[in-house]
Amino acid sequence: MALYPPPGARDENAMDATEPLLQRSDSPEQLQPHTRSSKHVLARLYVSHFLSTWNSRMFEFGAILFLASIFQDTLLYASVYALARSLSAVVLSSWLGSRMDHSDRLVTIRRSIIWQRLPVVLSCACFVVLLVPSLMGNKFVTWGLFAAVLLLACVEKLAAIANTVAVERDWAIIVSDSLAIQRQDLNASMRQIDLFCKLLAPLMVSLIDSLSTSIAVWLVLAVNILCVFVEYVAIAQVYEAIPELRRVQRGLATNDGENGEDDFQPTSRAVQRSVVNRAARLLNHVAAPWREYIASPVFLASFSLSLLYLTVLSFGPTMVTFLLHTEYTSLQVSCMRVGSVIAELSGTWVAPFVMDKVGPIRSGLWFLNWQFTCLSAVAAAFALTDATSRLVLVGLIVGVALSRVGLWGFHLSAQFLIQEGVEEETRGQFSSTEMAVQNIFEMLSFATTIAFPLPEQFKYPVFISYGAIATAAICFAAYVRKERGHLLHMTRCLGGDKVPSPSQGLPGDF
């Protein structure tokens, strides 16, 4: 039984199975065989990505620990620090992405490496000074160094975004096509590296910090300095091995050079008009990436993925704090976090297999509905029972852990669709804008716990999070209907829009 498409929608039965839905730039004849040398290229790509992610995760978590040790009587400094990092991503990431689209790939990623490491080194130097007890009484020094740490954190955040966008949304596409490997497998491997670093990097720095904060600061500083050379060289070797990564640098189109006589007329009216025109051009320049993001054919898929960042239903700081306010110890919560990461890793292992069997659109729909279903019991438990009861807590832990399989399965499915649906010329801008949206929703998730700070009020952030997941499911369902013309086609639920191998064209039978 099928839900038939609306008038004008694409009918998959009427489409030629050989017609590609999304054209690939490389024909099968252009793809190189998967040889031993290609494994060396992948190894270097993984090493570079691992070092970048490991150092970013270690500093991100370590900086909060260092601020908590320095300013022990308040959470204000840590909160302002986290807020400033997120705001910098929201405001500047779209501009950064547009710059990346018009720059040499190797230059861009090398700059991102340097601008990740340099702020970390300087921030650690500031932390070392702030840890000196005799200087804490000097408010001028304290506030000055904290302001410097804030500025450096914003630079590091933007550089980390640039590195992530470049590697995961641009280089991964070209490398997989050039080496004739399954892109969903490459995406899954990159995500497994992310999750591994997400688990172990914070754990390592927290263990050292429990012994000595000063030693932890010096450790973060030393690791960043030692890794930068390896990362710098490894990514250059990938670039040299893949000729397709080279592109002609294109200049940025600007309106600053317009020959407007009004700008040079010595009248107050002309000056006024010039200021208004410049302001309008600036506003248009800022709004352009957002307009293009919304107009993209994969906007709904990207937006549904971004909505999942508006959540407290993960083993992040908010939910961990809630669990610590109940009957659980920090050791028990740490074990739960490990279990959650294992579930997340299993999602990255299952997703490529499911995508190969049923395709990225159906797999995304299935994984997102799995997450929605797992958390429905959690939302129901909070609605019907006391938030601190054992039944609710056990349901919360189990439901959230199981939902992570769906989260990362959906993440990989949506990432594949976005990689296919965004043109090479706008990948950086689109992905950076997407990250800005994700940071907005992440900030809103923090706002929910600011509005409802008490443990017994935790159910309200839970309901808001569940509503965001439901909205994401609706948005992705709308995307599925737009792409396929229907939501369900029972005769093809176990086949159809399969992910092609690199030696095949992308099928149009979605």
Side-chain angles (χ1 to χ4, degrees), residues 32-52:
Q32 302 299 321
H34 194 142
T35 63
R36 183 181 177 186
S37 62
S38 70
K39 295 181 180 179
H40 291 168
V41 173
L42 287 176
R44 285 162 173 76
L45 179 65
Y46 292 152
V47 166
S48 177
H49 186 56
F50 170 79
L51 292 177
S52 176

Side-chain angles (χ1 to χ4, degrees), residues 8 32 64 75 351 476 486:
Q32 302 299 321
I64 298 298
L75 296 176
F476 193 73
H486 58 263

